Amino acid sequence: MSFNVENIRNQFPILSQEIDGNPLVYLDSAATTQKPQTVIDAIVSYYTESNSNVHRGAHYLADKATRLYEGARDTIASFINAASREEVIWTSGTTESINIVANGLAHQLVASDEIIVTEMEHHANLVTWQQACKKSGATLKVAPMNDKGELDLVAFEALLNSNTKLVAMPQVSNALGTINPLDRLIPLAKSVDALVLIDGAQGIAHGNVDVQTLGCDFYIFSGHKLFGPTGIGVLWGKKSLLETWPVWLVGGEMISEVTYQDATWGVLPNRLEAGTPNMAGAIGLGAAIEWFMALDQDAVLEYEKELIRYATERAEAFDGLTIVGQAENKVGVLSFNLDGHHPADVGFLLDKQGIAVRTGDHCAQPLMNRLGVPGTARASFSVYTTRADIDALFNGLEKVKSMLG
Ligand code: C6P
């Protein structure tokens, strides 16, 4: 199989538009990816031909919608190589998935327990654990990284001990692009019998994820960063944990038997999915994953590596630009600052040229403080990004520099 970026771009209708007379240069895929036509079609088709509530009805449409919805769960299970489809829980996204795990763990934590996170956390994987520790008296420890944005493995190992209840860390940093060496970090955490949660929000679209090979206990991601719709995400967890985990929401569909006085819970995955679910979202995400899996995964990784290599080369040659996050192993994320200028001004003036980047702290305030920057401008790539987009970014930055003086 080969990789043809123009062929891929043609499948993303949003990319062909102009912004204020400039062709759109979309470099904000770490915030959310754009959606291929096939995903848009799957959602439209669901609402025009199949919409009905799932699991509940005895009629044709209810059955059809249920088969599509549960089929999407099968697609996810096979995509991440879950041992069973019951381990795939639909959520609204990464943030909710982490909160569900934190809520469950908070009931088990005692004051002597310790939780380890890293210096590069998104707030979703930090504030949740701060709150869990506050409620239980457990201690939150933060694994350090070097100035390039790579975790210090020796320091990480030194934090582990028999009190370590959980290690929660990102597969990929959203602000820096660092790919963490999970093949080394997870076995270290497991050597002290800690639970391991991987925040896969940024990792899921950039690598062949196999949750069984990884050896973690929870793997979490959002559909919208993987060419799927917003409002749908996944909590994958080991069945032995999820089936004993305290329930999160209670109500319809998650129960086994209900009396006026009491209720018992159903089996997985329903016991963690109360209420009418996001059927269109799940079906859209299933379509997105089928679309993504049809691409040559090795070619995709190779292509993205080449994009970040090229962008880094251009950035290093750009006078007055400082790259923030220089890990050896990175996805297509280029965070940077123009010396003497606030990232918000840089982003604003790029936007005036049709170039979309994200600016600010990227929901990682402690990381920005650790690096001593107010924030960054972040250009992030996906399978539809071209070298021409990267050239447009640097041409745009030349103009920004001359405008800002
Ligand atoms: N990062 C970004 O621009 P939600 O918002 O629930 O889909 O994902 C939260 C989240 C958690 N962890 C990581 C590593 C993330 O990157 C994100 C979302 C976006 O970087 C929006 S803040």
Side-chain angles (χ1 to χ4, degrees):
M1 250 191 286
S2 62
F3 184 84
N4 179 333
V5 69
E6 281 312 319
N7 181 17
I8 288 178
R9 282 182 76 81
N10 289 338
Q11 298 175 55
F12 287 80
I14 204 169
L15 294 178
S16 56
Q17 68 180 283
E18 296 197 336
I19 310 283
D20 291 337
N22 298 298
L24 168 66
V25 176
Y26 186 75
L27 296 174
D28 199 15
S29 292
T32 196
T33 55
Q34 296 302 348
K35 320 303 171 198
Q37 187 65 50
T38 179
V39 170
I40 299 166
D41 288 347
I43 295 166
V44 171
S45 153
Y46 171 72
Y47 280 122
T48 47
E49 292 159 22
S50 313
N51 179 50
S52 187
N53 210 328
V54 291
H55 301 148
R56 290 156 169 82
H59 54 83
Y60 173 82
L61 278 185
D63 181 51
K64 189 177 178 196
T66 302
R67 277 189 284 111
L68 288 170
Y69 172 75
E70 290 301 335
R73 195 191 306 273
D74 291 332
T75 303
I76 311 290
S78 113
F79 179 58
I80 59 173
N81 194 29
S84 98
R85 67 190 307 283
E86 297 138 309
E87 296 181 334
V88 174
I89 310 298
W90 296 118
T91 66
S92 67
T94 303
T95 303
E96 186 176 277
S97 297
I98 299 173
N99 273 272
I100 293 172
V101 179
N103 176 67
L105 196 70
H107 293 285
Q108 305 169 27
L109 286 176
V110 292
S112 57
D113 285 335
E114 296 176 359
I115 290 179
I116 298 177
V117 293
T118 72
E119 280 188 337
M120 61 180 81
E121 295 313 327
H122 184 282
H123 296 159
N125 201 37
L126 175 62
V127 180
T128 32
W129 302 115
Q130 288 171 351
Q131 294 302 311
C133 287
K134 280 195 178 145
K135 278 184 209 147
S136 60
T139 304
L140 188 69
K141 291 178 161 182
V142 183
M145 57 174 208
N146 63 24
D147 291 342
K148 287 161 78 181
E150 295 164 327
L151 284 183
D152 177 339
L153 265 71
V154 176
F156 175 78
E157 191 170 2
L159 291 179
L160 295 163
N161 62 55
S162 58
N163 291 327
T164 312
K165 187 82 178 175
L166 173 85
V167 174
M169 58 192 161
Q171 184 175 14
V172 167
S173 155
N174 67 316
L176 308 176
T178 310
I179 303 174
N180 286 318
L182 297 184
D183 56 337
R184 298 173 69 192
L185 292 160
I186 295 175
L188 284 174
K190 283 293 164 194
S191 70
V192 295
D193 284 334
L195 292 168
V196 177
L197 177 146
I198 301 300
D199 170 356
Q202 297 293 340
I204 190 74
H206 300 284
N208 303 306
V209 171
D210 178 331
V211 290
Q212 295 189 66
T213 305
L214 280 175
C216 54
D217 298 285
F218 303 101
Y219 185 94
I220 278 161
F221 63 95
S222 301
H224 70 95
K225 296 197 199 280
L226 186 63
F227 313 105
T230 49
I232 189 77
V234 168
L235 159 59
W236 169 84
K238 283 189 181 147
K239 190 175 170 194
S240 55
L241 292 168
L242 291 183
E243 65 192 359
T244 55
W245 217 244
V247 294
W248 157 247
L249 283 179
V250 291
E253 274 302 298
M254 53 74 66
I255 45 75
S256 171
E257 282 184 34
V258 183
T259 65
Y260 281 115
Q261 276 71 41
D262 208 354
T264 55
W265 313 144
V267 293
L268 287 174
N270 300 30
R271 78 188 292 275
L272 292 173
E273 293 178 354
T276 297
N278 180 355
M279 285 97 65
I283 290 162
L285 178 54
I289 290 178
E290 272 166 23
W291 177 84
F292 185 59
M293 282 199 301
L295 302 179
D296 179 336
Q297 296 297 308
D298 292 338
V300 166
L301 287 183
E302 214 33 60
Y303 181 72
E304 285 189 29
K305 258 195 205 139
E306 175 50 26
L307 283 180
I308 187 65
R309 192 205 58 71
Y310 179 62
T312 305
E313 184 186 293
R314 296 276 328 242
E316 282 169 353
F318 194 95
D319 199 30
L321 184 152
T322 306
I323 301 176
V324 182
Q326 305 226 49
E328 295 299 320
N329 205 6
K330 275 180 75 170
V331 298
V333 166
L334 183 77
S335 256
F336 62 90
N337 276 313
L338 287 191
D339 300 348
H341 301 299
H342 197 278
D345 295 334
V346 174
F348 176 77
L349 293 174
L350 285 174
D351 180 50
K352 293 285 145 223
Q353 304 171 64
I355 302 166
V357 299
R358 183 175 173 186
T359 61
D361 60 32
H362 311 295
C363 299
Q365 282 178 17
L367 172 61
M368 296 298 129
N369 291 334
R370 153 73 180 82
L371 293 167
V373 291
T376 72
R378 182 190 69 182
S380 53
F381 315 144
S382 185
V383 291
Y384 41 70
T385 308
T386 60
R387 271 171 90 101
D389 288 334
I390 293 170
D391 289 338
L393 170 68
F394 287 98
N395 293 340
L397 285 172
E398 287 292 359
K399 289 190 192 139
V400 169
K401 233 169 68 169
S402 62
M403 282 189 260
L404 288 175

